[in-house]
Amino acid sequence: MREAQLGVGAVAQRLGVAASTLRTWDRRYGIGPSGRSAGGHRRYTPADVARLETMQRQILTGVPPQEAARVALEAPPGEPPAPRAHGAGGNRVPLRADHDERQAAEVRGLARAAMALDASATAGTVRNALRRDGVVRAWDDLIAPVLIGIGRKHAVSGDCVEVEHLLSAVVLGCLAETPAAPPNGRPVLLACAPEEQHSLPVHALAAALAETGVETLTLGARVPPPALTAAIRRTGPNAVFVWSQTTETGDPAWLAELPASRPPYRLVVGGPGWNRDRLPPHITRVAAFPEAVTALASLPGAR
Ligand code: B12
């Protein structure tokens, strides 16, 4: 039976990277499709896609693309290689079931510590996860689920605003402790939309990008368009990322007024607030945290 094969666009969409990135990976690192269509277009089998996903996972833990491609090409099919350890104590790869149970327990523990306004236990758990798992996994598996859970509690009861504030302050503090990337001349600029106060995702993204060696400049919450314009002119960024959490801040009309620069930068947006129907076509929208990291870390000139 013939396996279902995907074109480069479909694979790019699935991985959350540009099609040109996949072509570059193929040309530069020899990690491409095993076949071509009659017309010469790239055709990816499920095994090709699995290899690319392995490469992407490696990049997300800070492995440089060349090394990530090598690991992916050498991994036996169906067996993901061990994730790279971060900091002390991170080199044991637990069994999946142990891992899921530990993760669920850690989410419950962090939620309890935050609900009890226990700043020290909250910080200890967040810091430990960041060091052990790296920013992408600590955010996706622990911090974001607890934030979303507390947000839900707030939505039904109107309570927990003090918990949101404490947890946010602790997470910001722990993220600030993570190391910065060396300057490379063209940073990724990260900002919240005008009047948007939910800045945590932007700071988490900065820390995750730093972990992959990408230099960032974080402008944080409520950035007025003239300020972002000035920052673009002054820094000549490689990419600009803008976050909108709430629909109040999600009208993208002003994005079209941002200045062009030479060399050009990629404009990427994320967050549930954006009015997607009104996003100009040249803007890339990312839906998930790892997707944002991959999209920004795999741009040419990112590091
Ligand atoms: C922390 C928090 C705050 C902090 C922010 C501190 C800071 N410096 O960021 C403080 C206390 C200041 C705050 C204030 C307010 N908040 Co608030 N807050 C939150 C909370 C708990 C987390 C915010 C966050 O970081 N979200 C990011 C991730 C964790 O959540 P998510 O976007 O849902 O994640 C999904 C995707 O976006 C994606 N994803 C996750 N992370 C990332 C990262 C990237 C880069 C990408 C691309 C994708 C991605 O995966 C998830 C699954 O689909 C949310 C709950 C929530 N669900 O977001 C409420 C929430 C956003 N806040 C809310 C509200 C109403 C407010 C206030 C207006 C009133 C209040 N509750 O106090 C004010 C004013 C805000 C303003 N005008 O801008 C509402 C918004 C409702 C709405 N839809 O408009 C929420 C949803 C809580 C709720 N259910 O009521 N808030």
Side-chain angles (χ1 to χ4, degrees):
M1 196 178 64
R2 266 195 87 226
E3 284 181 307
Q5 301 198 344
L6 296 175
V8 70
V11 180
Q13 202 172 18
R14 177 162 165 172
L15 269 76
V17 301
S20 58
T21 303
L22 291 183
R23 292 192 200 94
T24 309
W25 286 359
D26 187 5
R27 265 198 322 275
R28 227 179 259 171
Y29 312 119
I31 183 160
S34 18
R36 299 240 173 195
S37 69
H41 297 293
R42 290 173 168 82
R43 285 283 170 262
Y44 292 81
T45 63
D48 297 335
V49 176
R51 256 198 309 272
L52 287 168
E53 285 173 342
T54 301
M55 170 160 176
Q56 185 183 36
R57 273 197 300 276
Q58 295 284 316
I59 292 178
L60 291 176
T61 62
V63 177
Q66 189 169 9
E67 170 66 5
R70 193 189 58 73
V71 172
L73 288 166
E74 284 174 7
E79 259 180 59
R84 198 169 82 151
H86 285 269
N91 45 15
R92 199 178 66 91
V93 182
L95 295 172
R96 189 76 227 165
D98 286 359
H99 173 81
D100 290 349
E101 180 39 44
R102 192 203 68 197
Q103 196 178 301
E106 203 165 38
V107 168
R108 286 193 300 271
L110 181 59
R112 257 200 308 271
M115 293 296 288
L117 299 181
D118 183 340
S120 150
T122 303
T125 306
V126 170
R127 194 176 287 125
N128 183 38
L130 285 168
R131 288 202 186 131
R132 185 192 58 219
D133 298 334
V135 180
V136 176
R137 283 184 50 205
W139 178 261
D140 252 9
D141 294 351
L142 176 67
I143 302 168
V146 173
L147 284 168
I148 291 169
I150 288 171
R152 286 207 188 108
K153 265 195 185 349
H154 168 76
V156 291
S157 64
D159 296 342
C160 299
V161 175
E162 72 286 9
V163 178
E164 285 181 6
H165 275 268
L166 174 88
L167 180 57
S168 302
V170 167
V171 171
L172 285 173
C174 294
L175 289 169
E177 291 166 7
T178 61
N184 78 349
R186 292 192 72 203
V188 172
L189 269 184
L190 301 159
C192 287
E195 298 312 322
E196 178 58 70
Q197 292 186 41
H198 295 92
S199 61
L200 275 172
V202 151
H203 290 279
L205 190 50
L209 286 168
E211 211 169 57
T212 73
V214 174
E215 186 195 354
T216 60
L217 194 64
T218 311
L219 303 179
R222 304 176 63 182
V223 181
L228 187 54
T229 295
I232 291 170
R233 294 215 166 100
R234 293 179 58 187
T235 63
N238 197 31
V240 176
F241 176 85
V242 188
W243 178 261
S244 164
Q245 183 77 49
T246 54
T247 44
E248 286 80 8
T249 67
D251 181 351
W254 64 278
L255 292 172
E257 307 297 318
L258 289 175
S261 77
R262 231 170 229 289
Y265 59 88
R266 178 75 65 84
L267 187 51
V268 181
V269 298
W274 291 111
N275 181 337
R276 287 193 235 164
D277 299 337
R278 300 186 57 194
L279 280 174
H282 68 285
I283 294 178
T284 307
R285 191 186 77 88
V286 286
F289 191 64
E291 187 189 346
V293 180
T294 318
L296 294 164
S298 51
L299 292 173
R303 50 194 151 189

